[in-house]
Amino acid sequence: MTFVVPFDGSKLADTSLVRAVEFATALEEDVTAVTVVPERKRYAREKGWIEEGEPYDVEEVIETLRTRVNSLAPTATFDCERIREFPPEAQIAERIERLVRDHDPSVVFLGSENVGRVVTPLTSVGVHVAGDRSYDVYVVRQPHPVAIDAIEPHADFYSGEAP
């Protein structure tokens, strides 16, 4: 089994990765973080990867995300797909879904405030990833430690001391 985390460096993605590691430690499973990085400056700004007017260095963003994954989950693997074209966001979500499936996950840990709502944007990665029935989805909606006795929370992450 592999636990897969779509990772974009957001707070909920950070929490999803930490949560996946907590469960993986208890269940002796592997964790893989997956990222799709398009060469779209606007998308990079929306994700908080660059500021307005800042130059967009795709390789630097990939390395920053890789470093973040490694700092939160040193035993996790990182898989990134760079998209050279400029697809609409729905196609980016589909690429993330395909990358998730490439790892044959048993559970996908998804940080999302949208999944499960009656009205969800069609471009939401969560809609695409959560809709696949070949794996379970653990939706992380809050950045708090889990309240399951068998799962040991990463205290430094939840106390705000994480890198």
Side-chain angles (χ1 to χ4, degrees), residues 35-141:
T35 302
V36 172
V37 179
E39 292 181 353
R40 285 178 56 183
K41 198 175 220 179
R42 187 187 80 188
Y43 185 84
R45 278 194 305 272
E46 289 171 2
K47 290 295 181 185
W49 297 341
I50 60 170
E51 298 295 324
E52 183 71 40
E54 184 180 351
Y56 182 34
D57 181 339
V58 176
E59 292 304 321
E60 184 177 318
V61 167
I62 291 170
E63 192 53 39
T64 298
L65 292 169
R66 181 187 318 278
T67 300
R68 183 72 182 156
V69 166
N70 189 52
S71 69
L72 293 170
T75 60
T77 57
F78 177 77
D79 188 5
C80 180
E81 181 178 336
R82 179 178 175 162
I83 303 176
R84 296 199 181 273
E85 68 270 7
F86 305 103
E89 286 189 46
Q91 287 181 8
I92 294 170
E94 289 169 4
R95 298 284 285 267
I96 293 169
E97 179 186 18
R98 186 170 42 79
L99 191 56
V100 165
R101 281 193 318 261
D102 286 350
H103 290 278
D104 194 26
S106 53
V107 179
V108 173
F109 284 74
L110 181 63
S112 177
E113 296 172 342
N114 297 332
V115 173
R117 291 187 181 174
V118 173
V119 178
T120 305
L122 293 177
T123 59
S124 168
V125 170
V127 170
H128 291 270
V129 174
D132 192 318
R133 294 185 179 270
S134 65
Y135 47 77
D136 286 334
V137 177
Y138 182 108
V139 179
V140 177
R141 291 190 173 114

